[in-house]
Amino acid sequence: MTEQATQALVGAAQTARLAPSVHNTQPWRWVVRGDRLELHAVPARQLQEQDPSGRLMLVSCGAALHHALVGLAAEGWTAEVERPAGEPLAVVRAVAHEPADPHAMQRLQLLQVRHTDRRVVSPEPVPPGVRQALVDAARQAGARLHVLRRDEVLQLAVMVEHADEAHRRDERMRAETASWVGGDRPEGSGVPAAVLPAELPLTTVAERDFGVTGTLAAGEGHDTAASYAVLYGDADEPDHWLRAGEALGEVWLCATGHGTTVLPLSSPVELDFTRQALRRMLSDTGYPYLVLRLGVADPDHAGPPHTPRLPAEQIIEVVE
């Protein structure tokens, strides 16, 4: 059983390579020890200027943990998860095996097609039932999702404008962004030009201006049909950031299954003054971790390519 469990855990770590991360930094490392899979953060791939607290790094690691668990379930494994305070961030154990469940296999397939889409969304609004399904998915994964009203979306647009202006004025932030965004990204991390719009699309809430020209056709029209939501929770501590990442993975999986695109907006949570403004929008009932733009995918156009991934041998270690 141990050898079989070890192989399953290596496969789960491989699945976790598909997870989303801030600027595609992939700030995680996996160590497989028999029937034990350890998740570690990699501070060397943390955004020191935009994420000095490591909040977004741990949200990214939580998304990777979510993907690993989906991968295990698709292989028929029941897993137990410990989340220690500190390192490792999580320990996953494969404890029982049975024939794979078709629903679990379908969830894995959804992760394999999931991607970040910065194009203009279709003019069809996200159905209320889908929005509720996303709210439920976040709650089941240990966080909460607040879908913004129209007046709150306009407030968000102002926050994002202020956050982007602050970034543009900060030379160190601009330099950090330039080191992760643009070009072909042959080293396997970062955001390549192929997934960035050739020109910023017309949106109610501005997309992040990375300061580089992409090659992706942004699409026509204005995203008036887009929905915006805040992923948040009860506390603003590292264990909650990890849980938020797991919830992000579950919300994104649910959205993909409903033909809904997701675009994370991290700039409002990177700065103290906009993060506090978001908290006031939540009536001080929680702490914001990330903002999401939601839209109906355009069925007539294929999505953008997937962002590159680091080689498996760079992030997965098997200890004999």
Side-chain angles (χ1 to χ4, degrees), residues 241-291:
W241 303 340
L242 188 71
R243 283 283 193 179
E246 294 179 74
L248 173 64
E250 188 61 28
V251 167
W252 212 322
L253 186 153
C254 180
T256 303
H258 284 94
T260 300
T261 66
V262 177
L263 175 61
L265 304 175
S266 62
S267 63
V269 300
E270 293 170 11
L271 301 171
D272 288 339
F273 74 95
T274 48
R275 193 166 59 252
Q276 291 303 320
L278 277 176
R279 187 161 187 244
R280 289 193 294 272
M281 186 181 291
L282 298 170
S283 301
D284 292 329
T285 59
Y287 295 85
Y289 306 131
L290 205 59
V291 174

Side-chain angles (χ1 to χ4, degrees), residues 4-19 30 37 62-79 81 92-94 96-112 249-250 253:
Q4 188 181 11
T6 299
Q7 293 175 350
L9 293 173
V10 172
Q14 289 276 14
T15 299
R17 295 173 62 228
L18 303 173
W30 297 95
L37 175 63
L65 175 58
H66 167 269
H67 280 41
L69 294 175
V70 170
L72 274 177
E75 293 295 328
W77 285 91
T78 300
V81 184
V92 180
R93 287 185 173 85
H97 185 260
E98 59 185 22
D101 175 75
H103 176 65
M105 297 174 66
Q106 182 185 37
R107 284 168 57 83
L108 176 59
Q109 292 171 350
L110 290 174
L111 290 190
Q112 293 169 339
E250 188 61 28
L253 186 153

Side-chain angles (χ1 to χ4, degrees), residues 119-135:
R119 300 172 302 164
V120 174
V121 301
S122 78
E124 179 184 351
V126 179
V130 174
R131 294 199 300 268
Q132 185 59 50
L134 301 181
V135 170

Side-chain angles (χ1 to χ4, degrees), residues 23 49-52 163 166-179 208 270-271:
H23 292 7
E49 300 299 328
Q50 297 166 50
D51 184 34
H167 283 119
R168 284 191 294 270
R169 292 180 178 180
D170 191 310
E171 183 178 349
R172 291 181 300 181
M173 282 192 178
R174 293 200 312 271
E176 182 176 66
T177 297
S179 69
R208 190 169 196 146
E270 293 170 11
L271 301 171

Side-chain angles (χ1 to χ4, degrees), residues 120-127 131 150 204 222-228 293-296:
V120 174
V121 301
S122 78
E124 179 184 351
V126 179
R131 294 199 300 268
R150 178 62 182 175
T204 303
H222 193 290
D223 76 335
T224 52
S227 296
Y228 291 85
R293 188 194 74 178
L294 310 169
V296 174

Side-chain angles (χ1 to χ4, degrees), residues 55 144 232-241 244 279 285-289:
R55 180 185 290 103
R144 285 180 280 174
Y232 71 106
D234 296 330
D236 198 26
E237 299 297 334
D239 57 331
H240 291 81
W241 303 340
R279 187 161 187 244
T285 59
Y287 295 85
Y289 306 131

